[in-house]
Amino acid sequence: MKAARQHAWTLFAAALSTLLVAAPAQAIVSAGSTPTALHSEADGDAEADRQAVSREIERFRSSSITISQAMAIAEARHAGATTADVSFDGASGVPVYRVKTLHNDRIWRHTINAATGELVGGEAALPLAELDHDDRSNLAALGAIRHRLADAVRVAERAASGKAISGGLVREGGRLSFAIVVISGDDLKEVILEPPGARAK
């Protein structure tokens, strides 16, 4: 999941604290300047980075399929699957969502066409046993909590008044959280939602 997290956050990072639906919510929305993870590591040209982000956001806005629909499409491939990570990718020829789901001790990778909702190029699975200890621990916690990434996306979209473009699991300071990036107007708003019961033991 480290590689998955790095890919998801290469475009969008997350940083807002709140609790999910069942617990009292406290929201701090940060917006404005481009998050650090949006800047290209290979190119320090801030203007080129800003233009690339603008193109990505424009492609996202013109997509017919929402992030919630993409997660539902991927989860429907395997009864009982839950989404661990999702991100929009408008850099390729056809804009897609990259969705990773957890099912039967495997991480399934799906690519969903953002215009049609069709699965692109099949799916791939990675056994959890091949992941490192931290990633396995995070995914075990995901399976144990009752809230899902789809719940976190709905809460983040309401809190930030926009549409989610990426989301996934992060662990910081011993806390497992859902990290969501929302596009609101011309701003990116970064959101972290901590599910009740997700703290490290």
Side-chain angles (χ1 to χ4, degrees), residues 39-199:
H39 298 289
S40 168
E41 294 175 16
D43 185 345
D45 186 353
E47 180 60 22
D49 291 342
R50 189 191 62 72
Q51 289 176 1
V53 170
S54 293
R55 281 192 302 274
E56 186 88 359
I57 290 172
E58 210 43 54
R59 293 195 89 183
F60 172 76
R61 285 187 172 140
S62 66
S63 297
S64 305
I65 303 299
T66 66
I67 203 167
S68 295
Q69 290 170 321
M71 287 188 290
I73 291 165
E75 289 176 358
R77 302 284 301 167
H78 304 278
T82 186
T83 301
D85 185 85
V86 60
S87 61
F88 178 80
D89 181 357
S92 56
V94 176
V96 295
Y97 288 99
R98 304 207 184 274
V99 186
K100 293 181 179 71
T101 60
L102 174 63
H103 182 258
N104 284 349
D105 295 329
R106 291 183 181 277
I107 287 291
W108 295 85
R109 295 180 179 148
H110 313 273
T111 303
I112 309 293
N113 185 307
T116 65
E118 295 174 348
L119 188 66
V120 177
E123 57 190 3
L126 177 68
L128 292 183
E130 293 184 19
L131 301 176
D132 68 24
H133 176 359
D134 290 342
D135 290 339
R136 285 195 312 273
S137 174
N138 290 351
L139 291 169
L142 176 65
I145 59 178
R146 70 175 187 175
H147 294 290
R148 299 164 64 94
L149 184 56
D151 299 322
V153 164
R154 283 191 294 275
V155 172
E157 287 179 335
R158 280 195 310 266
S161 302
K163 291 289 180 190
I165 189 166
S166 69
L169 289 171
V170 295
R171 185 181 293 271
E172 292 178 13
R175 295 181 180 180
L176 182 68
S177 301
F178 293 119
I180 314 294
V181 174
V182 176
I183 296 175
S184 179
D186 293 330
D187 293 327
L188 292 175
K189 296 185 178 180
E190 305 169 314
V191 182
I192 290 180
L193 301 133
E194 183 185 336
R199 292 183 186 211

